[in-house]
Amino acid sequence: MSFYSLVYHQLLKRHFFAITGPNRVLPDFLIIGAKRCGTTSLFSHLPEHPSIAKSHHDNMGFFNDNFHLGVNWYKSFFPTKSYKKLIEKKYGKFLAFDVTTRYMESRTTAENIKKIKPNMKIIIMLRNPIDRAYSQFNVSVREGTEELSFDNAVFEEMDRLQIEISNKDDNIIKFPNNQRNYIKKGLYAMQLKAWFNIFPRENILVLSTEDFKKNDNLIYKEIFRFLDIPEIEIKNKEHMQKGEYSSMTQTSRKKLGDFYQKHNNELYELIGKKFDWAE
């Protein structure tokens, strides 16, 4: 990246915050995915805990798309070190965090995080991949970026995926920006294997959207234990919803369930627990 580009992004775009970047903190934990799985609710409500502070906004994509902008650019979106000391003095601990749902899609992202902060803690929220795909599809329809029916869109992608996976020796999948990737984003095990290779297992917490909706108190307690901070009750119970839509047909659900069964089993083996993802 050129000197002038750095000046533009750090000084003209971030102004005072970029100048004070060296005096600001890096995040202590990241929520890396997956899209349409409830991460927005965590971003909004976790800071009710007095020891937790979030980045200026979510989905900044520093460790994947904006790594070239440098650590000080990234730090400009977080609280100051003096604020951290103030919170530590008052509550005993201070933790900042960032949510970017596309982080989990790339091994390079995990490697970039390891370079900057080797002891980073990672939280992952996963949803039944069938429902996740249908949710993403309906958002695309509402935004006017999808003209195909759900069946046409996902079954065409499914055929492409089967060919792509069968032709791969390294079992690494990529997510081109010009594709919707409704189905591919639900291949969780293929995305997370790299993360479990790069970070210690005890630094990764995998949760399910379904458990979060069923009993969010238990999920928040699990997160607080993982972060080693006192448990509190999160009072805001609103889960971020992005529209309502008609139910998927049972034929579509069955076909997707058959497709995902093998991949879900690989996930359960990887993370050491099983989710109740009924077809």
Side-chain angles (χ1 to χ4, degrees):
M1 178 178 240
S2 70
F3 169 78
Y4 297 104
S5 183
L6 282 173
V7 169
Y8 171 76
H9 284 284
Q10 294 199 14
L11 295 183
L12 297 183
K13 296 286 285 185
R14 296 299 298 148
H15 306 293
F16 165 79
F17 299 101
I19 296 173
T20 61
N23 295 317
R24 294 176 179 273
V25 301
L26 281 168
D28 301 280
F29 69 97
L30 300 173
I31 301 176
I32 67 169
K35 185 176 182 179
R36 306 299 302 157
C37 292
T39 56
T40 302
S41 295
L42 292 181
F43 183 75
S44 299
H45 304 327
L46 274 177
E48 282 190 33
H49 195 292
S51 292
I52 294 179
K54 63 184 178 181
S55 57
H56 177 268
H57 58 273
D58 62 348
N59 288 306
M60 286 188 293
F62 170 66
F63 289 106
N64 54 356
D65 297 332
N66 295 308
F67 197 61
H68 59 283
L69 295 179
V71 173
N72 283 335
W73 176 85
Y74 184 47
K75 289 169 72 174
S76 74
F77 294 95
F78 291 94
T80 61
K81 293 178 181 178
S82 59
Y83 179 77
K84 174 182 179 177
K85 290 180 180 178
L86 182 68
I87 297 300
E88 286 177 334
K89 184 176 180 180
K90 189 172 183 179
Y91 298 106
K93 200 165 186 177
F94 173 87
L95 301 172
F97 78 105
D98 162 22
V99 174
T100 297
T101 56
R102 290 191 60 234
Y103 278 167
M104 68 179 277
E105 298 172 3
S106 167
R107 179 185 180 89
T108 301
T109 301
E111 292 171 344
N112 288 341
I113 295 168
K114 188 76 171 181
K115 292 174 188 174
I116 301 300
K117 194 156 189 175
N119 64 338
M120 186 77 79
K121 288 199 169 184
I122 309 294
I123 296 176
I124 308 160
M125 184 80 84
L126 302 179
R127 182 180 184 180
N128 184 327
I130 301 172
D131 298 319
R132 196 221 64 80
Y134 195 51
S135 177
Q136 183 189 344
F137 168 81
N138 279 281
V139 170
S140 297
V141 170
R142 190 170 68 246
E143 293 175 346
T145 59
E146 180 59 81
E147 297 180 354
L148 297 176
S149 69
F150 179 70
D151 284 359
N152 286 341
V154 298
F155 294 159
E156 285 180 13
E157 182 185 350
M158 199 182 303
D159 291 339
R160 292 197 308 270
L161 260 179
Q162 289 173 328
I163 296 172
E164 178 182 341
I165 294 171
S166 65
N167 290 337
K168 280 188 173 294
D169 295 328
D170 55 13
N171 215 26
I172 295 175
I173 53 176
K174 296 183 179 180
F175 294 83
N177 290 328
N178 63 343
Q179 294 179 4
R180 300 292 179 211
N181 301 310
Y182 300 126
I183 304 302
K184 189 184 288 188
K185 286 180 183 289
L187 301 179
Y188 301 135
M190 297 183 74
Q191 298 170 67
L192 292 177
K193 284 176 183 176
W195 292 81
F196 277 85
N197 287 333
I198 292 171
F199 291 95
R201 183 172 291 268
E202 60 269 21
N203 279 38
I204 303 176
L205 176 64
V206 183
L207 305 166
S208 87
T209 307
E210 291 76 15
D211 289 343
F212 185 50
K213 289 183 177 180
K214 190 183 302 179
N215 192 333
D216 53 11
N217 280 334
L218 287 179
I219 294 300
Y220 282 123
K221 287 181 180 180
E222 192 171 353
I223 291 173
F224 298 147
R225 287 194 295 270
F226 174 68
L227 298 174
D228 194 26
I229 54 178
E231 297 174 11
I232 69 163
E233 181 182 355
I234 299 295
K235 295 180 179 179
N236 192 333
K237 300 298 182 183
E238 180 186 5
H239 289 197
M240 300 301 170
Q241 302 290 341
K242 297 186 179 179
E244 296 183 357
Y245 37 83
S246 59
S247 298
M248 187 189 316
T249 66
Q250 287 303 310
T251 301
S252 299
R253 179 170 286 275
K254 178 65 168 61
K255 187 168 183 177
L256 287 172
D258 292 341
F259 174 82
Y260 277 123
Q261 184 176 16
K262 171 180 175 290
H263 299 285
N264 287 345
N265 288 336
E266 289 178 357
L267 171 70
Y268 302 148
E269 184 176 351
L270 177 68
I271 66 177
K273 63 180 176 181
K274 186 175 182 179
F275 297 131
D276 184 20
W277 286 344
E279 295 177 11

